[in-house]
Each structure stands twice: as structure tokens, then as C-alpha cells.
Amino acid sequence: ISNVGGILAYSEGDGAQIIDASLTVSDLDDANIESAIIRISSGFVSTEDTLSFSSIGNITGSYNSATGILTLSGVDTLANYETALESVTYENSNTTHPSPVDRTISWTINDGTVNSATVTSTVTVSPVNDAAQLSLSAAVDFTALTALTPTLMSATVQQQSSLNTYA
């Protein structure tokens, strides 16, 4: 793998973003690749970080959220693996205050015989200063009020000549 090493500037709430859309897959003695491992090798936060990709051809993949490893497998052409790797995205699910630690993304491919040299990209994560929010909540249960019948407990009636109280 070559032409890797860019920096993805990721801001809180960005959604899935492609990590490196211009990498190159090559192998001097093989026309196919059999697997690839993309992992968050440093800065990984299991409760926030996700890697995914768009499948193509014979390439399938699975992401292990406990380890931060996206594994691609299936024998396919160099061109299809390049397309699959260029579609790998990073997403941070913490939309209130993600960890601002940089993530190092390590890329390794295998032609069925030997692994390539591992190359890396960087994802910088920037929390956003969210606006303060105020919410008020008031509820009146009118269904309970409609069943009430007003009862007169006491009343005062005043006449010109006398003051009478009725209960």
C-alpha cells in the first residue's frame, strides 16, 4: 500500500468520513489480494470509534468494536481492493464530547503469501463546543380534572339585615 499517510480532520457529529481516498494497492508478483486489516492502532476508544467500508466484488468485511479492527477478506483484484480500502470510513458515535486524542489508522494487506509493510494515517478528533440548552417541562393531567365535581364546602351570604353562614 502506498500514498497513505494523510490526516482526516474529524469534528464531533461529522458522521462517517472516508479516511484516505487516494491510496494505491500494488503487488509486483501477484494480481490479487486475499485480505486486508485496517485497525485503530493508537488512541482507540471502543465506545466511540467505528471503521466501516463499502463492499465490492468478492470482498467482505467485519468490524470488531472491542479491538478497533476492520478485517477485509476474499480473493479479488488489486483494483477492487484499492477501491474497497479507499472507501474505509471513520465515525465517532460520541456526539456530546468525543475523546480528542488522535487516532492512528494502520493499514496492512496480504496477497495470500506475505503481509505488506504496515502504513498509517491519522484521524484528528475535535470536540465541538455545543450551545447550552434550556428546556422547561410542565404537564397538567386534564383527564383527571374532568372527573372532579366541585363541592361547596362553605359559603357566606350577606343580607342587609343579617349575616348568615351555611356549611
Side-chain angles (χ1 to χ4, degrees):
I1 302 176
S2 59
N3 296 327
V4 177
I7 297 174
L8 168 62
Y10 188 93
S11 291
E12 173 187 322
D14 274 352
Q17 299 291 310
I18 292 175
I19 298 170
D20 199 325
S22 61
L23 56 81
T24 303
V25 172
S26 60
D27 190 329
L28 297 176
D29 61 359
D30 204 329
N32 292 315
I33 299 295
E34 293 193 15
S35 65
I37 295 176
I38 305 91
R39 72 183 183 104
I40 304 173
S41 54
S42 72
F44 175 60
V45 181
S46 65
T47 57
E48 297 181 5
D49 299 332
T50 302
L51 298 176
S52 58
F53 84 110
S54 297
S55 60
I56 183 173
N58 297 322
I59 304 168
T60 59
S62 64
Y63 178 69
N64 184 325
S65 60
T67 62
I69 296 175
L70 173 63
T71 303
L72 308 185
S73 59
V75 177
D76 213 324
T77 64
L78 300 172
N80 277 353
Y81 262 92
E82 184 172 308
T83 299
L85 293 171
E86 287 177 339
S87 76
V88 172
T89 59
Y90 169 82
E91 183 170 13
N92 191 302
S93 62
N94 186 335
T95 58
T96 56
H97 189 71
S99 169
V101 174
D102 289 354
R103 276 59 162 186
T104 300
I105 311 299
S106 297
W107 310 74
T108 308
I109 58 175
N110 183 286
D111 64 6
T113 306
V114 66
N115 284 339
S116 68
T118 299
V119 293
T120 61
S121 299
T122 302
V123 176
T124 62
V125 177
S126 299
V128 174
N129 186 6
D130 300 314
Q133 295 183 355
L134 174 64
S135 62
L136 301 174
S137 177
V140 176
D141 186 356
F142 286 104
T143 58
L145 293 177
T146 59
L148 295 176
T149 303
T151 304
L152 182 58
M153 300 304 284
S154 67
T156 301
V157 177
Q158 185 174 3
Q159 296 180 353
Q160 287 182 359
S161 60
S162 66
L163 181 63
N164 298 315
T165 300
Y166 304 97

